[in-house]
């Protein structure tokens, strides 16, 4: 029998993602509803190591559901990678009686939680907060939908200027080693080509298809490149310009704007539902899992599996890209 949880800590770790605040709010309010004390740990695992821990009340999380970023701030903490750092973190939790943790972050953050929990027997529940959608065990991660919508808005604008000048634009989007932001934003903006790390990029094929389009006077083309693809946007631009010097090529790297902004309705709902279930899970005695939603049903994946598996990209999507972009 796991012992009854009385005090929980919540933290955000790794790259921020829109909807983290909505998740914090859900954790705090569900915890308080169940009579728990809730603590906010600042700057990810750093706050645990350095004892930057604050009490959170219902009012502390008022007016944040619509805000991007994270009120708890976030960081990637080197000290927590060492046993000594984790021991310090454990002591800071125990002096307050914190006996359960909710970690909002990506797979790197889950890896830290898994190790910590095994060493010090503190139940940890993960919430997938990352724009990359690179964790298996959930259809969506908190922040992905907002990031894709931000990318779509930006790419639509780039298309306007591409049309005006008859140019080829190569647009690089984020996603670390995953191609989901590129795939979704590329399909939604009618991109002519989408390059993702999950599929081999055939540069000769791209050049042949651009040459064929140039012949039939289709000069406006958008190529969306995931940052994790084997070809970076700049390298791709040089290769194309070398082979097809008459094309006007420009590169646009969207960068961190994809991580900011007010979360979409979908991300707010996802974060609220997952945050609620994270606390319910701790109370029910679950530990070392992350909360996901698969086919609209709650799904709990052991943290160590989340670290190992990535989401699979279906070939159907690749066919759609090929057929629709002519
Ligand atoms: O994991 C989220 C993410 O935005 C990735 O898409 C990107 O590769 C990385 O973080 C950027 O990290 P940083 O903000 O540390 O440059």
């Amino acid at each position: 029998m796991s012992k009854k949880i009385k005090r929980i800590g919540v933290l955000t770790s790794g790259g921020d993602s829109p909807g983290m605040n909505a998740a914090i709010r859900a954790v705090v309010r569900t915890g308080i509803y169940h009579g728990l004390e809730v603590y906010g740990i600042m700057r990810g695992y750093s706050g645990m190591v350095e004892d930057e821990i604050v009490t959170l009340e219902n009012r502390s999380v008022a007016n944040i559901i619509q805000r991007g970023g994270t009120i708890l701030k976030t960081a990637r903490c080197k000290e927590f990678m060492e046993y000594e750092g984790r021991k310090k973190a454990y002591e800071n939790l125990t002096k307050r009686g914190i006996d359960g943790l909710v970690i909002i972050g990506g797979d790197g953050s889950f890896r830290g939680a898994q190790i910590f929990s095994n060493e010090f027997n503190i139940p940890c529940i993960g919430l997938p907060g990352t724009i990359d959608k690179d964790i298996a065990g959930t259809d969506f991660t908190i922040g992905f939908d907002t990031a894709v919508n931000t990318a779509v808005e930006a790419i639509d604008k780039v298309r306007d200027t591409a049309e005006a000048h008859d140019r080829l634009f190569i647009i690089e989007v984020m996603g670390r080693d995953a191609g989901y932001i590129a795939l979704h934003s590329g399909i939604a903006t009618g991109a002519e080509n989408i390059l993702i790390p999950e599929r081999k990029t055939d540069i000769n094929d791209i050049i042949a298809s651009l040459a064929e389009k140039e012949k039939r006077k289709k000069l406006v083309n958008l190529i969306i490149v995931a940052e994790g693809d084997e070809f970076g946007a700049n390298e791709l631009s040089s290769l194309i310009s070398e082979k097809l010097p008459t094309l006007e090529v420009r590169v646009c790297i969207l960068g961190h704007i994809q991580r900011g902004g007010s979360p979409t309705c979908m991300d707010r709902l996802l974060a609220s539902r997952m945050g609620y279930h994270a606390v319910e899970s701790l109370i029910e005695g679950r530990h070392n899992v992350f909360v996901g939603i698969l086919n609209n049903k709650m799904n709990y994946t052991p943290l160590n599996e989340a670290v190992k598996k990535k989401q699979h990209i279906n070939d159907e999507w690749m066919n759609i890209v090929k057929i629709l972009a002519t």
Side-chain angles (χ1 to χ4, degrees):
M1 253 308 261
S2 45
K3 69 178 172 47
K4 203 166 173 282
I5 302 278
K6 294 199 182 86
R7 293 177 194 87
I8 61 170
V10 55
L11 60 90
T12 48
S13 166
D16 64 314
S17 66
M20 279 185 162
N21 280 328
I24 296 166
R25 173 180 177 270
V27 169
V28 171
R29 293 197 170 168
T30 309
I32 291 172
Y33 171 80
H34 284 294
L36 308 181
E37 282 176 34
V38 186
Y39 291 88
I41 299 163
M42 303 301 297
R43 296 171 214 284
Y45 294 118
S46 305
M48 244 158 86
V49 176
E50 285 156 24
D51 204 18
E52 256 193 285
I53 300 175
V54 296
T55 306
L56 295 175
E57 307 290 349
N58 276 330
R59 288 298 92 203
S60 326
V61 291
N63 199 18
I64 65 167
I65 193 168
Q66 78 283 18
R67 280 166 56 191
T70 156
I71 58 160
L72 295 178
K73 300 196 178 276
T74 184
R76 296 185 174 107
C77 176
K78 281 209 182 96
E79 267 190 282
F80 198 74
M81 291 179 185
E82 308 295 329
Y83 177 79
E84 277 314 308
R86 294 193 292 273
K87 189 160 166 280
K88 251 168 96 183
Y90 174 68
E91 286 160 3
N92 289 329
L93 295 186
T94 43
K95 75 181 178 202
R96 290 181 179 80
I98 296 175
D99 45 17
L101 283 179
V102 178
I103 291 99
I104 309 168
D107 58 352
S109 313
F110 291 174
R111 192 173 301 124
Q114 169 76 20
I115 297 169
F116 183 68
S117 178
N118 286 343
E119 282 171 347
F120 299 102
N121 198 26
I122 293 236
C124 291
I125 301 288
L127 290 186
T130 166
I131 63 166
D132 301 334
K133 200 167 101 73
D134 57 351
I135 302 175
T138 188
D139 288 333
F140 289 96
T141 54
I142 298 165
F144 172 75
D145 186 61
T146 310
V148 168
N149 276 290
T150 302
V152 164
E153 203 184 322
I155 296 167
D156 283 346
K157 287 178 179 162
V158 172
R159 190 180 278 284
D160 287 346
T161 174
E163 284 280 350
H165 286 265
D166 279 338
R167 278 176 176 162
L168 160 65
F169 264 88
I170 300 170
I171 304 166
E172 187 179 292
V173 297
M174 275 189 169
R176 203 180 289 275
D177 302 322
Y180 267 103
I181 298 179
L183 185 70
H184 284 225
S185 62
I187 292 174
T189 53
E192 278 68 20
N193 223 318
I194 303 173
L195 275 48
I196 56 174
E198 291 84 349
R199 294 290 184 281
K200 183 122 194 66
T201 298
D202 185 341
I203 184 74
N204 293 326
D205 194 47
I206 292 172
I207 288 169
S209 131
L210 286 171
E212 183 275 322
K213 282 176 181 148
E214 193 182 14
K215 256 196 215 139
R216 59 179 161 94
K217 302 269 178 292
K218 181 180 178 354
L219 301 173
V220 181
N221 288 291
L222 300 186
I223 302 182
I224 312 299
V225 187
E227 64 174 343
D229 188 72
E230 63 202 278
F231 290 96
N234 285 315
E235 188 188 356
L236 191 67
S237 163
S238 309
L239 287 170
I240 293 172
S241 301
E242 198 182 296
K243 299 280 181 197
L244 302 168
T246 45
L247 281 187
E248 262 207 77
V249 188
R250 293 291 185 273
V251 169
C252 173
I253 296 177
L254 295 188
H256 284 79
I257 61 160
Q258 293 160 95
R259 286 236 299 258
S262 178
T264 58
C265 175
M266 176 167 162
D267 274 330
R268 295 180 201 192
L269 293 180
L270 199 66
S272 302
R273 192 173 175 197
M274 287 178 168
Y276 161 84
H277 280 285
V279 177
E280 295 283 328
S281 297
L282 278 172
I283 293 170
E284 285 162 13
R286 281 202 180 87
H287 57 90
N288 298 357
V289 293
F290 88 85
V291 178
I293 301 178
L294 276 180
N295 298 323
N296 203 25
K297 289 206 171 63
M298 301 318 295
N299 182 66
Y300 302 91
T301 306
L303 289 176
N304 57 353
E305 275 182 34
V307 167
K308 280 187 238 144
K309 286 191 200 148
K310 296 280 174 225
Q311 289 193 16
H312 171 74
I313 289 191
N314 204 314
D315 276 339
E316 178 198 357
W317 284 120
M318 303 318 291
N319 283 338
I320 290 173
V321 175
K322 211 162 141 194
I323 292 167
L324 299 193
T326 57

